[in-house]
Amino acid sequence: DAGVIQSPRHEVTEMGQEVTLRCKPISGHDYLFWYRQTMMRGLELLIYFNNNVPIDDSGMPEDRFSAKMPNASFSTLKIQPSEPRDSAVYFCASSLKKISGYTFGSGTRLTVV
Amino acid sequence: GDSVTQMEGPVTLSEEAFLTINCTYTATGYPSLFWYVQYPGEGLQLLLKATKADDKGSNKGFEATYRKETTSFHLEKGSVQVSDSAVYFCALSGSPGTASKLTFGTGTRLQVTL
C-alpha cells in the first residue's frame, strides 16, 4: 500500500497565479479530506468528500479555493488567484470509515510570493 | 461545538524521562479519541486511538486512557528517546452530527535531548 500520495511536495508560485494541488487516496477509502496547516491557525479542515461527493466545504476560506473529486482515486484543490496569505502546508487524508482514523499524505508546501 | 485543548509546548525532556502530554476535550455524545504524531517535514501519523470510555490505546510505548469522567485523553510514555522528538496532536471524532470530521488540538512539540 503506497499510502496517500500528494503532489507536488513543494510549490512556489507568484501572487495571482493558479495553483493546483493533487491527491491520490488509499484505494478503497471512501472519505477524503483536505487540511491546511499554518503556524498561526494550526490544522484547519477545508473540505471533505464521501464517495466522491463534497459533504462539507464550510472550511474553504474564500471563493478562490475550489476542490473536486472526479473519481475515487483522485482529488484536486485549486487556488485561483493565489495570494501570499495562502502560503501553508496542505494535507490530504483519507479514511475507510468514520472512526478508523485518517491516513495523511506527506503534504504540499505552498509558497506564494 | 467539539473542541480539543492540549498543553502548550514545547516540552523539553532528557532521554529516558517520563512523558505526559495533557489533552482534554469538549464534545457531545461519545466521541472517539486519537493521538497523531508529526515528524519534521512529514504528514500526521496515527499513533493510537480509543473508541469508548476506559479504553486504553497503546503503540510504540505510548499510552493514553479515555477518561469520560474528566473528559481527558492524556498521552504518556515511560522513557522517551531522541527519536520521539516530534509534534503530537490530540483529536476527536464521532460526535453526532459531525460525521467523519476530526477535530484537532493545536499540537504539542516534544524535544528530547541526550
Side-chain angles (χ1 to χ4, degrees):
Chain A
D1 188 347
V4 175
I5 300 172
Q6 291 187 246
S7 63
R9 286 299 308 272
H10 302 275
E11 176 79 35
V12 180
T13 191
E14 292 186 346
M15 182 174 62
Q17 296 297 306
E18 177 180 296
V19 176
T20 299
L21 311 181
R22 297 172 176 79
C23 175
K24 176 178 169 55
I26 291 175
S27 178
H29 281 193
D30 50 4
Y31 285 88
L32 183 139
F33 307 84
W34 282 100
Y35 279 85
R36 178 171 68 176
Q37 186 179 37
T38 62
M39 289 294 293
M40 291 296 293
R41 295 174 177 266
L43 274 165
E44 301 173 277
L45 176 64
L46 301 177
I47 185 171
Y48 77 96
F49 297 82
N50 179 215
N51 293 322
N52 313 338
V53 177
I55 302 300
D56 184 352
D57 65 354
S58 60
M60 297 285 262
E62 301 171 32
D63 291 345
R64 298 185 296 106
F65 287 70
S66 62
K68 295 181 180 179
M69 192 165 185
N71 56 62
S73 59
F74 184 65
S75 177
T76 59
L77 178 68
K78 184 178 294 186
I79 309 173
Q80 166 63 18
S82 58
E83 297 183 3
R85 59 194 168 122
D86 302 330
S87 297
V89 181
Y90 291 81
F91 288 104
C92 175
S94 68
S95 173
L96 180 57
K97 56 183 178 179
K98 281 190 178 183
I99 59 172
S100 64
Y102 300 177
T103 301
F104 280 80
S106 298
T108 295
R109 180 174 296 277
L110 173 65
T111 303
V112 183
V113 298
Chain B
D2 296 348
S3 67
V4 176
T5 302
Q6 288 183 237
M7 61 189 292
E8 297 244 349
V11 173
T12 303
L13 296 173
S14 298
E15 200 169 44
E16 299 184 2
F18 184 86
L19 168 70
T20 301
I21 299 178
N22 290 337
C23 171
T24 56
Y25 68 89
T26 301
T28 55
Y30 303 95
S32 296
L33 301 173
F34 304 82
W35 277 101
Y36 281 81
V37 58
Q38 184 178 29
Y39 298 101
E42 298 183 14
L44 281 71
Q45 302 174 24
L46 179 63
L47 181 59
L48 53 84
K49 68 180 181 183
T51 58
K52 61 183 187 296
D54 300 325
D55 268 2
K56 176 185 284 188
S58 62
N59 186 24
K60 299 181 181 179
F62 291 89
E63 293 182 339
T65 301
Y66 188 162
R67 301 287 188 199
K68 186 164 173 57
E69 65 276 13
T70 55
T71 62
S72 65
F73 193 55
H74 305 321
L75 183 68
E76 297 181 336
K77 187 175 185 183
S79 176
V80 294
Q81 306 299 312
V82 172
S83 57
D84 295 326
S85 298
V87 180
Y88 293 81
F89 293 88
C90 185
L92 67 84
S93 80
S95 291
T98 62
S100 255
K101 289 194 294 186
L102 275 179
T103 300
F104 285 92
T106 53
T108 302
R109 182 176 300 278
L110 170 65
Q111 297 175 330
V112 181
T113 59
L114 290 172

